[in-house]
């Protein structure tokens, strides 16, 4: 074996090991978001660009809570984390199924929110997402919310991931405002000494077909997740163990819908109830019932 061939082989081995090491750091950073946290949600409208003199900015919003983030899937190219809110009397708390985040490595299939409960299916090339992780965020009923791809960065003792993507109005806004229809979310997830941080720089967008997007206002979000002992979230952890089988069936059905790889439009209500109210019923547990309910919300 010549010296040049040996050098090339050693270089390839070194590159492979480095790539594997980087991916492992990414996976570890994502899983650092699991556990029990005291969460503070902070949102403030910073600038508005409305030409309407009667425009009123959204009020500054601060909420606190105890949240359990449990590991649902831990595979080489997929990590899934389910969030649960634990509220009320600590001795007998109420558990609320909250959002879910899936992280997919070098994912090429995307459902991009396009307003009015519509998601446009898009495919990216493998080169566009090389070494990137897609964060897919889901509603409380596991229907889609928003998703985007980016590279985890590990430098100067920091680990963070950033992305900008379109999303529905946040829950704190959609029952109060109808003067915009898309949130352009600038998301930054950073692992910190106290836990992790979800830092947001958002734009409130008015989107109309055939017209250029209009920025109505800007918003800052600063959500801190302060790690506490997992025992404080035992009620939420136990609830998930008892209910995971049902929600696995829900995730399976949504996976079937997403694998159709076409634009997705969802009904807001069926039988005068939103999807989460159907699925949150303790009477709904069987696979055929779950499948029928979800399918009834998918516009044909």
């Amino acid at each position: 074996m010549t010296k040049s061939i040996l050098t090339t082989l050693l270089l390839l081995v070194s590159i492979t090991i480095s790539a594997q090491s980087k991916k492992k750091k990414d996976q570890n950073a994502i899983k650092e978001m699991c556990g029990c946290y005291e969460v503070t949600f902070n949102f403030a409208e910073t600038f508005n660009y409305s030409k309407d003199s009667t425009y009123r900015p959204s009020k500054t919003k601060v909420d606190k809570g105890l949240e359990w983030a449990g590991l649902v899937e831990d595979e080489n190219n997929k990590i899934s984390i389910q969030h649960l809110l634990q509220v009320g009397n600590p001795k007998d708390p109420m558990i609320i199924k909250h959002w879910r985040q899936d992280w997919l490595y070098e994912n090429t299939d995307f459902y991009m929110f396009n307003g009015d409960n519509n998601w446009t299916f898009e495919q990216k090339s493998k080169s566009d997402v090389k070494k990137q992780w897609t964060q897919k965020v889901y509603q409380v009923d596991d229907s889609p919310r928003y998703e985007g791809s980016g590279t985890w960065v590990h430098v100067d003792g920091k680990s963070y991931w950033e992305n900008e993507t379109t999303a529905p109005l946040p829950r704190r806004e959609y029952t109060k405002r109808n003067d915009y229809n898309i949130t352009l979310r600038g998301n930054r997830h950073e692992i910190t000494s106290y836990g992790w941080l979800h830092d947001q720089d958002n734009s409130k967008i008015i989107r109309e077909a055939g017209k250029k997007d209009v920025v109505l206002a800007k918003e800052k979000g600063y959500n801190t997740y302060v790690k506490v002992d997992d025992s404080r979230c035992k009620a939420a952890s136990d609830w998930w163990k008892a209910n995971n089988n049902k929600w696995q069936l829900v995730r399976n059905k949504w996976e079937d819908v997403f694998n159709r790889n076409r634009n997705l439009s969802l009904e807001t209500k069926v039988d005068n109830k939103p999807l989460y109210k159907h699925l949150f019923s303790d009477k709904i547990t069987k696979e055929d019932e779950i499948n029928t309910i979800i399918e009834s919300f998918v516009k044909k």
Side-chain angles (χ1 to χ4, degrees):
M1 183 180 294
T2 66
K3 185 176 180 180
S4 61
I5 294 176
L6 180 59
T7 300
T8 301
L9 288 174
L10 290 173
L11 180 61
L12 289 173
V13 170
S14 176
I15 292 172
T16 300
I17 293 173
S18 176
Q20 291 173 341
S21 175
K22 167 64 169 60
K23 186 178 180 182
K24 186 66 176 176
K25 287 181 179 179
D26 297 347
Q27 293 167 326
N28 289 340
I30 293 168
K31 287 186 283 189
E32 280 290 321
M33 290 187 280
C34 294
C36 187
Y37 296 92
E38 289 181 343
V39 188
T40 303
F41 304 98
N42 295 277
F43 291 94
E45 193 166 302
T46 53
F47 305 99
N48 82 73
Y49 306 98
S50 176
K51 296 179 181 179
D52 183 353
S53 61
T54 64
Y55 177 83
R56 293 292 180 268
S58 299
K59 293 182 179 180
T60 297
K61 183 79 170 177
V62 180
D63 279 323
K64 296 178 182 290
L66 190 66
E67 184 150 307
W68 172 250
L71 194 61
V72 178
E73 292 184 59
D74 184 10
E75 301 174 0
N76 186 41
N77 292 324
K78 181 180 181 181
I79 298 170
S80 181
I81 302 172
Q82 176 64 56
H83 292 251
L84 304 170
L85 285 172
Q86 185 171 303
V87 299
N89 186 343
K91 294 182 179 179
D92 187 24
M94 180 172 67
I95 309 304
I96 301 172
K97 185 176 180 291
H98 206 194
W99 61 297
R100 186 178 105 241
Q101 53 175 326
D102 287 356
W103 292 85
L104 305 181
Y105 188 66
E106 295 185 341
N107 165 68
T108 57
D109 296 341
F110 294 83
Y111 283 90
M112 306 305 293
F113 184 70
N114 195 31
D116 304 317
N117 243 20
N118 298 310
W119 286 260
T120 302
F121 178 71
E122 297 179 3
Q123 285 187 310
K124 293 187 177 183
S125 68
K126 290 183 177 180
S127 60
D128 284 340
V129 297
K130 187 175 182 180
K131 298 183 180 180
Q132 291 186 354
W133 288 84
T134 297
Q135 184 202 40
K136 292 178 176 270
V137 172
Y138 301 89
Q139 311 267 22
V140 297
D141 49 31
D142 290 319
S143 60
R145 189 159 178 78
Y146 64 86
E147 52 195 69
S149 186
T151 302
W152 272 93
V153 178
H154 312 284
V155 64
D156 295 337
K158 295 181 179 180
S159 291
Y160 62 89
W161 175 95
E162 294 180 329
N163 172 262
E164 186 176 72
T165 191
T166 52
L169 272 62
R171 283 174 286 274
R172 66 185 180 278
E173 292 268 271
Y174 75 81
T175 57
K176 299 177 181 178
R177 303 200 72 130
N178 59 9
D179 52 353
Y180 72 104
N181 58 349
I182 285 179
T183 303
L184 183 63
R185 299 180 62 116
N187 294 305
R188 178 185 172 106
H189 291 260
E190 182 175 345
I191 308 306
T192 67
S193 59
Y194 57 77
W196 61 283
L197 166 68
H198 185 189
D199 192 2
Q200 302 173 49
D201 288 292
N202 303 328
S203 298
K204 299 179 179 183
I205 301 291
I206 302 169
R207 177 171 292 179
E208 297 181 66
K211 296 182 179 181
K212 186 178 180 180
D213 284 355
V214 175
V215 178
L216 178 68
K218 297 279 190 177
E219 174 190 71
K220 182 66 180 179
Y222 198 83
N223 303 338
T224 56
Y225 289 73
V226 178
K227 189 79 167 67
V228 297
D229 194 279
D230 284 355
S231 62
R232 290 185 56 187
C233 290
K234 184 177 184 303
S237 176
D238 289 346
W239 185 94
W240 183 246
K241 291 175 185 175
N243 290 275
N244 179 45
N245 287 342
K246 169 182 174 174
W247 290 101
Q248 179 66 62
L249 296 175
V250 174
R251 295 193 301 274
N252 290 347
K253 177 56 183 175
W254 276 118
E255 193 67 20
D256 170 61
V257 172
F258 297 143
N259 285 339
R260 295 169 190 173
N261 291 352
R262 59 174 184 250
N263 295 346
L264 178 63
S265 295
L266 299 178
E267 302 284 358
T268 303
K269 292 182 178 180
V270 171
D271 296 331
N272 207 33
K273 290 196 298 186
L275 178 57
Y276 78 90
K277 286 195 173 181
H278 288 274
L279 294 180
F280 276 21
S281 170
D282 292 335
K283 296 178 181 179
I284 304 299
T285 59
K286 296 180 180 179
E287 183 176 13
D288 58 343
E289 295 174 320
I290 290 170
N291 290 352
T292 299
I293 288 170
I294 292 175
E295 201 63 56
S296 72
F297 276 81
V298 179
K299 293 182 180 180
K300 303 301 187 286

